[in-house]
Amino acid sequence: MLDLLPASSLQDRASRDPAFGSLNARDAWASQLARTLAPLASTDGFSDTAIDGVKLIASECSHSRTPLIYEPGLFIIAQGDKVGYLGERVIHYGPGNYLVQAMPLPFECETIARPDAPLLGLSIGVDPLMLSELVHHLPAPPPLDRGSPEPMAAVALDAPMAEAVQRLASCLQDEHTSRALGAGRVREVLFAALNGPQGQSLRQLVQQQGHYARIAESLNYLHRHFALPLTVEALAERANMSASHFHHHFKRVTQLSPVQYLKRLRLLRARMLLGQQRVNVARAAADVGYRSTSQFSREYKRYFGVSPSQG
């Protein structure tokens, strides 16, 4: 069983997130969630639970900035800290707030943890069908003050989200309970997120209006077909936009050009294949869309700092 973070550390971090009630309430919530999750954490990283789309996050040590990509989801940390780096943005998420990832974006992430105070948390995937159903029952939101919503942002935890997350975590203690009630608990959490500060970023994925939704659909297409020889012109045509407008809005949302995004996506997928030791370097390069193994190796080392044969 993993140890819990000392209360004093939780209080220090909770004081940075004043939106969730009192200091004692935030402290109690984080401590309770950590106690609920600790017995379930047997391995580092993301591990499956009995509820589809819900994964346990655990790490007994810190990790420096590492390139990665999250699929759309909600990320709630009970103990420890995460720091994300997206372009020039620095995104902190730990006890007292949660990360809303509306689109799959390559970014760099730093983990802060130690053996006697490991990172503990949950990731909850966003099911498009469930999201669409919930949005259908919500009143129309007020118009955005400016521009598009952020596709990736940490927001302060509020009481409805805290309560929904704790009920979901409690479900995980028993497999039969998870299978009977888990989907409903996930709905509660997603409903709370839709009513939270970043709800617009999720709503617009369903409403299919504007440039934000078009870029989201383009990212979904890229993730299904990243190994194909894709061009900006072809992607723009699919999005019913000119190439110049598509490039502009794509970079505004993802902080990367379409070509940069595709390259990082391919390299991250290749690292996953190599990490699972299913293929050699040449096969990994080919499987993610590279025609030249030497070019793949150069770009892999430039991005990750090590050659593909070293991991």
Side-chain angles (χ1 to χ4, degrees):
M1 183 182 300
L2 299 175
D3 295 328
L4 302 181
L5 189 66
S8 58
S9 297
L10 281 169
Q11 290 172 349
D12 291 342
R13 288 168 186 172
S15 66
R16 301 200 299 267
D17 304 298
F20 175 42
S22 67
L23 177 65
N24 288 338
R26 298 192 301 275
D27 183 6
W29 173 84
S31 296
Q32 182 181 2
L33 184 59
R35 284 195 299 271
T36 303
L37 298 180
L40 306 174
S42 57
T43 60
D44 275 14
F46 287 69
S47 55
D48 292 333
T49 70
I51 302 176
D52 289 342
V54 178
K55 296 181 182 292
L56 184 71
I57 308 171
S59 179
E60 291 193 335
C61 60
S62 295
H63 297 279
S64 58
R65 288 177 61 165
T66 303
L68 50 75
I69 188 167
Y70 283 169
E71 293 299 317
L74 309 174
F75 300 84
I76 301 102
I77 303 300
Q79 178 172 280
D81 277 295
K82 288 272 194 179
V83 184
Y85 302 88
L86 179 65
E88 296 181 354
R89 293 177 59 204
V90 180
I91 304 168
H92 297 264
Y93 54 109
N97 53 36
Y98 61 98
L99 182 73
V100 179
Q101 181 92 39
M103 299 184 194
L105 302 179
F107 71 110
E108 295 183 350
C109 186
E110 177 183 3
T111 298
I112 302 170
R114 60 181 192 271
D116 65 332
L119 182 87
L120 290 168
L122 289 173
S123 77
I124 302 161
V126 174
D127 177 5
L129 293 178
M130 184 182 292
L131 181 66
S132 179
E133 181 185 350
L134 289 171
V135 169
H136 177 73
H137 293 293
L138 291 173
L144 289 171
D145 291 335
R146 61 183 187 280
S148 298
E150 294 285 1
M152 175 180 178
V155 297
L157 192 81
D158 58 14
M161 174 61 80
E163 293 166 2
V165 169
Q166 184 58 54
R167 283 193 292 270
L168 172 61
S170 297
C171 235
L172 297 173
Q173 305 303 304
D174 178 75
E175 183 176 349
H176 299 292
T177 304
S178 293
R179 299 196 184 283
L181 303 178
R185 297 292 186 255
V186 170
R187 284 173 61 87
E188 287 186 45
V189 174
L190 188 54
F191 183 80
L194 282 166
N195 284 288
Q198 276 296 107
Q200 276 276 44
S201 67
L202 297 170
R203 287 172 183 251
Q204 289 201 16
L205 298 179
V206 172
Q207 293 165 344
Q208 297 294 311
Q209 297 176 352
H211 297 120
Y212 182 87
R214 294 183 188 181
I215 297 304
E217 175 54 34
S218 296
L219 293 182
N220 290 333
Y221 182 82
L222 277 172
H223 278 249
R224 295 193 304 269
H225 304 287
F226 61 84
L228 297 179
L230 301 170
T231 66
V232 175
E233 289 74 19
L235 292 170
E237 185 177 354
R238 281 187 52 83
N240 196 27
M241 300 167 68
S242 70
S244 61
H245 276 81
F246 177 78
H247 186 282
H248 169 76
H249 289 288
F250 191 101
K251 189 167 186 178
R252 183 177 180 181
V253 169
T254 68
Q255 306 297 308
L256 296 169
S257 72
V259 172
Q260 289 173 322
Y261 184 99
L262 179 57
K263 180 185 296 185
R264 293 192 183 183
L265 175 59
R266 286 173 170 170
L267 293 172
L268 287 161
R269 295 298 187 189
R271 185 177 65 168
M272 185 183 303
L273 292 173
L274 293 168
Q276 295 169 345
Q277 298 181 337
R278 293 181 178 178
V279 297
N280 59 27
V281 173
R283 180 59 184 275
D287 283 355
V288 300
Y290 276 87
R291 296 182 178 181
S292 167
T293 302
S294 59
Q295 180 187 359
F296 165 74
S297 296
R298 288 194 302 271
E299 294 184 353
Y300 189 102
K301 186 172 184 178
R302 188 179 304 123
Y303 188 36
F304 296 115
V306 295
S307 68
S309 59
Q310 295 174 312

